[in-house]
Amino acid sequence: MPGPLWMTASTLTSDKVTLAPLTQDHAPDLAEAADDGTLHRLWYTAVPAPDRVPAEIDRRLTLQEAGSMVPFAILDPQGRAVGMTTYMNIDHGNRRVEIGSTWYRKSVQRTGINTACKLMMLRHAFEDRDAIAVEFRTHRLNRQSRAAIERLGAQLDGILRAHMIMPDGSLRDSAVYSITAADWPAVRANLEFMTQR
């Protein structure tokens, strides 16, 4: 990729969670995490089956080499990988990025880890990398994901009709949300309040 990369790999930490650059060393924990709640069987998500985790890590690392993704393993306070997330669809020239391809093992969902991860990723994007906007996209019918995105303070930009082909061959309408640099101070205050509860 020509020119300097605006968003690059780094480790982000808080007292609740660490986002570490994704490697194949995380594969055993992530295979176990994918099997917790059989997340890979949910038709509206793209969580890899446990035996496909190494291939999914390779896919994300290939996209990182191309400059379009920065993938992370989500580590709990004990250092165990409990999910994955990424900066993706990175527009280096316009300082715009999507946070996505995120999933967590079922046993850590609704524990505050997602909010802590998003606060760290948004803070890094807006405060360390001077992002203009951060996007979130999810299946139009994934009510749980849409509610989580809305709780972050992101605004619905619209629905991309027939946007993606899902693993089962169905077409996904994507709900697109964003947080802009102007939105960030209020969103940050709300997320900091949420993580302290």
Short mmCIF file of all heavy atoms in Angstrom, two decimals, residues 151-186:
data_model
loop_
_atom_site.label_atom_id
_atom_site.label_comp_id
_atom_site.label_asym_id
_atom_site.label_seq_id
_atom_site.Cartn_x
_atom_site.Cartn_y
_atom_site.Cartn_z
N ARG A 151 -26.61 1.83 22.22
CA ARG A 151 -26.22 2.16 23.60
C ARG A 151 -24.88 2.91 23.65
O ARG A 151 -24.64 3.68 24.57
CB ARG A 151 -26.14 0.90 24.46
CG ARG A 151 -27.46 0.44 25.02
CD ARG A 151 -27.31 -0.59 26.14
NE ARG A 151 -26.55 -1.76 25.73
CZ ARG A 151 -27.07 -2.84 25.14
NH1 ARG A 151 -28.36 -2.89 24.87
NH2 ARG A 151 -26.31 -3.86 24.82
N LEU A 152 -24.03 2.66 22.66
CA LEU A 152 -22.75 3.36 22.60
C LEU A 152 -22.93 4.84 22.29
O LEU A 152 -22.05 5.65 22.57
CB LEU A 152 -21.84 2.75 21.53
CG LEU A 152 -21.41 1.31 21.71
CD1 LEU A 152 -20.65 0.84 20.48
CD2 LEU A 152 -20.57 1.14 22.97
N GLY A 153 -24.04 5.19 21.67
CA GLY A 153 -24.27 6.57 21.27
C GLY A 153 -24.12 6.81 19.78
O GLY A 153 -24.14 7.95 19.32
N ALA A 154 -23.95 5.74 19.00
CA ALA A 154 -23.84 5.88 17.54
C ALA A 154 -25.21 6.22 16.95
O ALA A 154 -26.24 5.80 17.46
CB ALA A 154 -23.29 4.59 16.93
N GLN A 155 -25.18 6.97 15.86
CA GLN A 155 -26.40 7.37 15.17
C GLN A 155 -26.60 6.50 13.92
O GLN A 155 -25.64 6.22 13.19
CB GLN A 155 -26.31 8.84 14.74
CG GLN A 155 -26.18 9.80 15.90
CD GLN A 155 -27.42 9.83 16.77
OE1 GLN A 155 -28.54 9.95 16.28
NE2 GLN A 155 -27.23 9.70 18.07
N LEU A 156 -27.84 6.12 13.66
CA LEU A 156 -28.15 5.34 12.46
C LEU A 156 -28.04 6.24 11.23
O LEU A 156 -28.72 7.26 11.13
CB LEU A 156 -29.56 4.75 12.56
CG LEU A 156 -30.02 3.94 11.35
CD1 LEU A 156 -29.18 2.68 11.19
CD2 LEU A 156 -31.50 3.58 11.50
N ASP A 157 -27.15 5.86 10.30
CA ASP A 157 -27.00 6.60 9.05
C ASP A 157 -27.96 6.07 7.99
O ASP A 157 -28.38 6.82 7.10
CB ASP A 157 -25.57 6.48 8.52
CG ASP A 157 -24.56 7.16 9.43
OD1 ASP A 157 -24.90 8.19 10.04
OD2 ASP A 157 -23.42 6.67 9.51
N GLY A 158 -28.29 4.79 8.05
CA GLY A 158 -29.20 4.22 7.07
C GLY A 158 -29.02 2.72 6.93
O GLY A 158 -28.23 2.10 7.65
N ILE A 159 -29.74 2.13 5.99
CA ILE A 159 -29.69 0.70 5.72
C ILE A 159 -29.13 0.50 4.31
O ILE A 159 -29.64 1.08 3.35
CB ILE A 159 -31.09 0.05 5.80
CG1 ILE A 159 -31.76 0.35 7.14
CG2 ILE A 159 -31.01 -1.45 5.53
CD1 ILE A 159 -31.12 -0.27 8.34
N LEU A 160 -28.08 -0.30 4.20
CA LEU A 160 -27.55 -0.71 2.90
C LEU A 160 -28.28 -1.98 2.50
O LEU A 160 -28.06 -3.04 3.11
CB LEU A 160 -26.05 -0.94 2.95
CG LEU A 160 -25.18 0.28 3.22
CD1 LEU A 160 -23.71 -0.13 3.33
CD2 LEU A 160 -25.35 1.31 2.11
N ARG A 161 -29.15 -1.91 1.51
CA ARG A 161 -29.95 -3.05 1.09
C ARG A 161 -29.10 -4.04 0.30
O ARG A 161 -28.26 -3.65 -0.51
CB ARG A 161 -31.13 -2.57 0.22
CG ARG A 161 -32.06 -1.56 0.88
CD ARG A 161 -32.95 -2.16 1.95
NE ARG A 161 -33.69 -3.31 1.46
CZ ARG A 161 -34.82 -3.25 0.79
NH1 ARG A 161 -35.38 -2.10 0.49
NH2 ARG A 161 -35.42 -4.37 0.40
N ALA A 162 -29.32 -5.34 0.54
CA ALA A 162 -28.60 -6.41 -0.17
C ALA A 162 -27.10 -6.12 -0.20
O ALA A 162 -26.45 -6.21 -1.23
CB ALA A 162 -29.17 -6.60 -1.58
N HIS A 163 -26.55 -5.83 0.96
CA HIS A 163 -25.17 -5.36 1.08
C HIS A 163 -24.13 -6.47 1.04
O HIS A 163 -23.04 -6.28 0.52
CB HIS A 163 -25.05 -4.54 2.38
CG HIS A 163 -23.67 -4.08 2.69
ND1 HIS A 163 -23.04 -4.36 3.88
CD2 HIS A 163 -22.80 -3.37 1.97
CE1 HIS A 163 -21.84 -3.83 3.88
NE2 HIS A 163 -21.66 -3.22 2.74
N MET A 164 -24.44 -7.63 1.62
CA MET A 164 -23.46 -8.70 1.74
C MET A 164 -24.12 -10.06 1.55
O MET A 164 -25.29 -10.23 1.89
CB MET A 164 -22.82 -8.70 3.14
CG MET A 164 -21.94 -7.54 3.46
SD MET A 164 -21.39 -7.60 5.20
CE MET A 164 -20.54 -9.16 5.24
N ILE A 165 -23.33 -11.01 1.06
CA ILE A 165 -23.78 -12.40 1.01
C ILE A 165 -23.31 -13.08 2.29
O ILE A 165 -22.10 -13.10 2.58
CB ILE A 165 -23.23 -13.13 -0.23
CG1 ILE A 165 -23.70 -12.42 -1.51
CG2 ILE A 165 -23.67 -14.59 -0.22
CD1 ILE A 165 -23.03 -12.94 -2.77
N MET A 166 -24.22 -13.64 3.05
CA MET A 166 -23.90 -14.30 4.31
C MET A 166 -23.38 -15.72 4.05
O MET A 166 -23.57 -16.27 2.96
CB MET A 166 -25.15 -14.35 5.20
CG MET A 166 -25.66 -12.97 5.62
SD MET A 166 -24.47 -12.04 6.61
CE MET A 166 -24.54 -12.95 8.15
N PRO A 167 -22.73 -16.33 5.07
CA PRO A 167 -22.22 -17.70 4.88
C PRO A 167 -23.28 -18.70 4.43
O PRO A 167 -22.96 -19.65 3.71
CB PRO A 167 -21.66 -18.05 6.26
CG PRO A 167 -21.28 -16.73 6.86
CD PRO A 167 -22.33 -15.77 6.36
N ASP A 168 -24.53 -18.48 4.82
CA ASP A 168 -25.60 -19.42 4.40
C ASP A 168 -26.17 -19.08 3.03
O ASP A 168 -27.11 -19.72 2.56
CB ASP A 168 -26.71 -19.47 5.45
CG ASP A 168 -27.52 -18.18 5.54
OD1 ASP A 168 -27.20 -17.19 4.83
OD2 ASP A 168 -28.48 -18.15 6.33
N GLY A 169 -25.61 -18.05 2.37
CA GLY A 169 -26.06 -17.66 1.04
C GLY A 169 -27.14 -16.58 1.02
O GLY A 169 -27.46 -16.05 -0.04
N SER A 170 -27.71 -16.24 2.18
CA SER A 170 -28.73 -15.20 2.22
C SER A 170 -28.07 -13.82 2.06
O SER A 170 -26.88 -13.65 2.28
CB SER A 170 -29.51 -15.26 3.54
OG SER A 170 -28.65 -14.97 4.64
N LEU A 171 -28.87 -12.85 1.64
CA LEU A 171 -28.37 -11.49 1.48
C LEU A 171 -28.62 -10.69 2.76
O LEU A 171 -29.71 -10.75 3.33
CB LEU A 171 -29.06 -10.79 0.31
CG LEU A 171 -28.70 -11.33 -1.08
CD1 LEU A 171 -29.52 -10.61 -2.14
CD2 LEU A 171 -27.22 -11.17 -1.35
N ARG A 172 -27.60 -9.96 3.19
CA ARG A 172 -27.71 -9.16 4.40
C ARG A 172 -27.97 -7.72 4.04
O ARG A 172 -27.25 -7.12 3.26
CB ARG A 172 -26.41 -9.26 5.20
CG ARG A 172 -26.37 -8.32 6.41
CD ARG A 172 -25.08 -8.45 7.18
NE ARG A 172 -24.41 -7.17 7.33
CZ ARG A 172 -23.39 -6.95 8.15
NH1 ARG A 172 -22.92 -7.92 8.90
NH2 ARG A 172 -22.84 -5.76 8.22
N ASP A 173 -29.02 -7.15 4.64
CA ASP A 173 -29.20 -5.70 4.68
C ASP A 173 -28.40 -5.22 5.88
O ASP A 173 -28.59 -5.73 7.00
CB ASP A 173 -30.66 -5.32 4.87
CG ASP A 173 -31.54 -5.65 3.67
OD1 ASP A 173 -30.99 -5.92 2.58
OD2 ASP A 173 -32.77 -5.63 3.83
N SER A 174 -27.51 -4.24 5.69
CA SER A 174 -26.65 -3.77 6.78
C SER A 174 -27.15 -2.45 7.33
O SER A 174 -27.36 -1.49 6.58
CB SER A 174 -25.21 -3.59 6.29
OG SER A 174 -24.64 -4.82 5.93
N ALA A 175 -27.35 -2.41 8.65
CA ALA A 175 -27.64 -1.16 9.33
C ALA A 175 -26.31 -0.47 9.59
O ALA A 175 -25.40 -1.07 10.18
CB ALA A 175 -28.37 -1.43 10.65
N VAL A 176 -26.17 0.77 9.13
CA VAL A 176 -24.91 1.53 9.23
C VAL A 176 -25.10 2.64 10.25
O VAL A 176 -26.01 3.46 10.14
CB VAL A 176 -24.50 2.12 7.87
CG1 VAL A 176 -23.17 2.86 7.99
CG2 VAL A 176 -24.42 1.03 6.82
N TYR A 177 -24.21 2.66 11.23
CA TYR A 177 -24.20 3.68 12.27
C TYR A 177 -22.85 4.40 12.25
O TYR A 177 -21.85 3.85 11.77
CB TYR A 177 -24.35 3.03 13.66
CG TYR A 177 -25.67 2.37 13.92
CD1 TYR A 177 -25.94 1.08 13.46
CD2 TYR A 177 -26.66 3.02 14.66
CE1 TYR A 177 -27.15 0.46 13.72
CE2 TYR A 177 -27.87 2.40 14.93
CZ TYR A 177 -28.10 1.12 14.46
OH TYR A 177 -29.30 0.52 14.72
N SER A 178 -22.81 5.60 12.83
CA SER A 178 -21.52 6.28 12.96
C SER A 178 -21.49 7.18 14.18
O SER A 178 -22.52 7.60 14.71
CB SER A 178 -21.17 7.07 11.70
OG SER A 178 -22.06 8.17 11.56
N ILE A 179 -20.27 7.43 14.61
CA ILE A 179 -19.95 8.46 15.61
C ILE A 179 -18.94 9.37 14.93
O ILE A 179 -17.93 8.89 14.38
CB ILE A 179 -19.35 7.84 16.89
CG1 ILE A 179 -20.36 6.90 17.56
CG2 ILE A 179 -18.89 8.93 17.85
CD1 ILE A 179 -19.77 6.06 18.69
N THR A 180 -19.19 10.68 14.95
CA THR A 180 -18.26 11.63 14.34
C THR A 180 -17.38 12.25 15.43
O THR A 180 -17.67 12.14 16.63
CB THR A 180 -19.00 12.75 13.60
OG1 THR A 180 -19.70 13.54 14.57
CG2 THR A 180 -19.98 12.18 12.57
N ALA A 181 -16.33 12.93 14.98
CA ALA A 181 -15.44 13.61 15.93
C ALA A 181 -16.23 14.62 16.77
O ALA A 181 -15.96 14.78 17.97
CB ALA A 181 -14.30 14.30 15.17
N ALA A 182 -17.21 15.29 16.17
CA ALA A 182 -18.02 16.25 16.93
C ALA A 182 -18.87 15.56 17.98
O ALA A 182 -19.16 16.14 19.04
CB ALA A 182 -18.91 17.04 15.97
N ASP A 183 -19.29 14.32 17.72
CA ASP A 183 -20.11 13.55 18.68
C ASP A 183 -19.27 13.03 19.84
O ASP A 183 -19.82 12.71 20.90
CB ASP A 183 -20.72 12.31 18.00
CG ASP A 183 -21.63 12.61 16.84
OD1 ASP A 183 -22.25 13.69 16.81
OD2 ASP A 183 -21.73 11.73 15.95
N TRP A 184 -17.96 12.84 19.61
CA TRP A 184 -17.13 12.08 20.52
C TRP A 184 -17.14 12.57 21.97
O TRP A 184 -17.26 11.75 22.89
CB TRP A 184 -15.70 11.97 19.98
CG TRP A 184 -14.74 11.35 20.94
CD1 TRP A 184 -13.56 11.89 21.40
CD2 TRP A 184 -14.84 10.07 21.60
NE1 TRP A 184 -12.95 11.05 22.28
CE2 TRP A 184 -13.72 9.92 22.42
CE3 TRP A 184 -15.81 9.06 21.57
CZ2 TRP A 184 -13.52 8.79 23.21
CZ3 TRP A 184 -15.61 7.94 22.35
CH2 TRP A 184 -14.48 7.80 23.16
N PRO A 185 -17.04 13.86 22.28
CA PRO A 185 -17.01 14.24 23.71
C PRO A 185 -18.23 13.75 24.49
O PRO A 185 -18.09 13.22 25.60
CB PRO A 185 -16.94 15.77 23.65
CG PRO A 185 -16.24 16.05 22.36
CD PRO A 185 -16.78 15.01 21.41
N ALA A 186 -19.42 13.88 23.93
CA ALA A 186 -20.62 13.42 24.64
C ALA A 186 -20.66 11.90 24.71
O ALA A 186 -21.03 11.32 25.74
CB ALA A 186 -21.88 13.95 23.95
#
